[in-house]
Amino acid sequence: MNDTRIGLLGLGAYVPEKVMTNAEWSRLVDTSDEWIVARTGIHRRRFAAEDENTADLAVHAARAALDDAGLEPEALDEIIVATDTPEVYSPDTASFVQHRLGARQIPTYDLGGSGCAGFLQAVDVARSRAREADRHILVIGVEVLSRLMNLTDRSTCVLFGDGAGAVIVGPGDHAAEILASVTGTDGSRTDILGIEAGGTRTPFSAENSPDGRMDVTMHGQTVFKQAVRHMSAASLKALERAGLSRDDVDLVVPHQANLRIINAVGKALRVPLEKVFVNVQEYGNTGSASVPLALAQAHEQGRIQDGDVVLLTSFGAGFHWGSVVVRF
Ligand code: UT7
């Protein structure tokens, strides 16, 4: 291992144009704008157009991150795509992205099944692989949840949206340095959040997926509590590893699942809410895309200045969690 500074060299994001409002949901399922806003903070979300698939969103975000880094696709040494809604079942979405970007025949792989924690898990892996051999690694978080989720289950459908975010992880004196990362999994909690049908235990059938869509099994309140607990604990551990305290944090960019969860994490970390970035009202829960999308927007909006310490944190089905500390 060498001592080269490894960090984020560029950020990018993409959201589809189509806006789906709470009012539109209330015409399709038994819900209301009041319920959705009060329980989640979500006002609207974006849905991919009929001719847009996962790789399309991923490539848009990847090009934006490459532009931001001032790099050409040929500079990439590896691509990781975190997604639970891949372009096709096999091969991985990252293969499509490699070809569409015009990258070299570099290794690519997907990190799937980790729900919304996938992106930070991928950053954690990319950081050590970049450090090992000065690689430039494109890490993308992307979801087209609208295409696959059950549109009649009001307890889950109103929560999600589509989007993509990307970062380039690599060596460089001007990189936003990754100071520490902490990831973890509690495999005894596979029952609280997941998608049952489609695996070997319960293959798709006419009964469990009449229209080819996925049912999300979710124990909302348990997920809520686990999310707050693990995101705050992992964040404090990551700050400790970085030799920093909560007072050093300039901005927290948490997974955008629910405004109440975001506020509870801010409270548990004892970080003032004005230092917590929120865009869940605009995009809902975009799964693996949530953290890189929020990070790119926070940067674009001038919420992150040179020298700022930014804490990224997420959770997802598994039950997985991750926190990453970055100095811009
Ligand atoms: O990547 C996925 C991550 N998942 C999460 O982050 C979910 C974490 N959990 C949550 O965000 C919250 O638990 C929810 C937003 C999902 C639900 O909020 P809650 O305050 O925990 O509500 P609840 O599940 O206790 O449901 C309260 C009521 C129920 O009715 P009853 O039993 O009290 O009559 C639900 O049937 O709200 C009902 N309900 C709805 N009502 C209107 C559930 N979904 C809806 C809806 N519209 N869309």
Side-chain angles (χ1 to χ4, degrees):
M1 198 188 288
N2 63 42
D3 291 331
T4 313
R5 169 177 164 149
I6 299 297
L8 308 181
L9 301 167
L11 313 176
Y14 174 77
V15 286
E17 271 177 37
K18 183 181 158 43
V19 176
M20 175 78 177
T21 63
N22 291 349
E24 284 168 85
W25 268 128
S26 67
R27 289 193 281 275
L28 297 172
V29 291
D30 181 15
T31 191
S32 64
D33 179 52
E34 293 72 26
W35 190 96
I36 301 172
V37 172
R39 302 282 177 143
T40 72
I42 299 166
H43 290 254
R44 55 192 76 79
R45 68 290 287 149
R46 300 295 179 93
F47 277 7
E50 272 174 32
D51 60 352
E52 267 183 323
N53 301 319
T54 308
D56 298 307
L57 274 62
V59 165
H60 279 300
R63 289 208 173 108
L66 283 164
D67 281 352
D68 191 40
L71 292 173
E72 296 298 326
E74 297 80 41
L76 294 173
D77 298 301
E78 214 163 292
I79 299 173
I80 314 177
V81 176
T83 186
D84 276 3
T85 50
E87 179 83 9
V88 294
Y89 196 82
S90 176
D92 57 335
T93 304
S95 299
F96 291 92
V97 171
Q98 182 219 56
H99 180 64
R100 296 265 297 277
L101 276 180
R104 292 173 291 120
Q105 291 184 355
I106 51 173
T108 74
Y109 42 100
D110 279 11
L111 200 158
S114 302
C116 319
F119 174 77
L120 289 184
Q121 290 181 311
V123 167
D124 186 43
V125 172
R127 180 195 183 207
S128 47
R129 296 206 26 104
R131 198 197 265 158
E132 192 193 328
D134 284 358
R135 294 184 181 96
H136 289 84
I137 305 180
L138 168 62
V139 181
I140 303 171
V142 57
E143 305 291 353
V144 181
L145 288 148
S146 65
R147 188 72 44 76
L148 297 178
M149 68 191 179
N150 180 344
L151 302 177
T152 62
D153 176 9
R154 70 172 183 172
S155 67
T156 54
C157 66
V158 300
L159 305 176
F160 299 108
D162 302 338
V167 298
I168 314 291
V169 176
D173 291 340
H174 299 292
E177 187 175 12
I178 301 174
L179 301 175
S181 57
V182 169
T183 57
T185 302
D186 178 357
S188 73
R189 308 314 301 257
T190 50
D191 57 329
I192 61 172
L193 182 59
I195 297 160
E196 178 72 27
T200 54
R201 192 162 68 187
T202 317
F204 282 126
S205 68
E207 285 72 40
N208 66 34
S209 179
D211 52 3
R213 286 176 173 271
M214 311 183 301
D215 264 325
V216 176
T217 310
M218 187 174 75
H219 298 280
Q221 291 181 9
T222 312
V223 171
F224 194 116
K225 287 178 201 149
Q226 293 285 320
V228 175
R229 193 172 126 209
H230 288 298
M231 281 200 287
S232 39
S235 295
L236 293 176
K237 202 183 275 182
L239 285 169
E240 192 186 322
R241 274 192 197 166
L244 298 171
S245 81
R246 57 184 108 216
D247 298 332
D248 296 311
V249 175
D250 295 294
L251 191 70
V252 182
V253 179
H255 171 40
Q256 307 286 315
N258 180 321
L259 185 59
R260 289 156 58 214
I261 296 179
I262 293 170
N263 288 342
V265 170
K267 211 169 148 196
L269 290 174
R270 283 187 267 132
V271 171
L273 290 184
E274 45 300 357
K275 287 188 174 182
V276 181
F277 187 78
V278 179
N279 67 4
V280 71
Q281 68 280 6
E282 289 300 319
Y283 304 110
N285 181 347
T286 56
S288 299
S290 158
V291 169
L293 172 60
L295 179 64
Q297 290 198 335
H299 194 253
E300 199 179 283
Q301 291 170 17
R303 295 282 303 271
I304 301 172
Q305 305 299 324
D306 281 355
D308 278 0
V309 170
V310 178
L311 171 65
L312 313 173
T313 186
S314 193
F315 69 92
F319 198 82
H320 301 291
W321 55 86
S323 292
V324 173
V325 183
V326 182
R327 192 194 303 276
F328 275 78

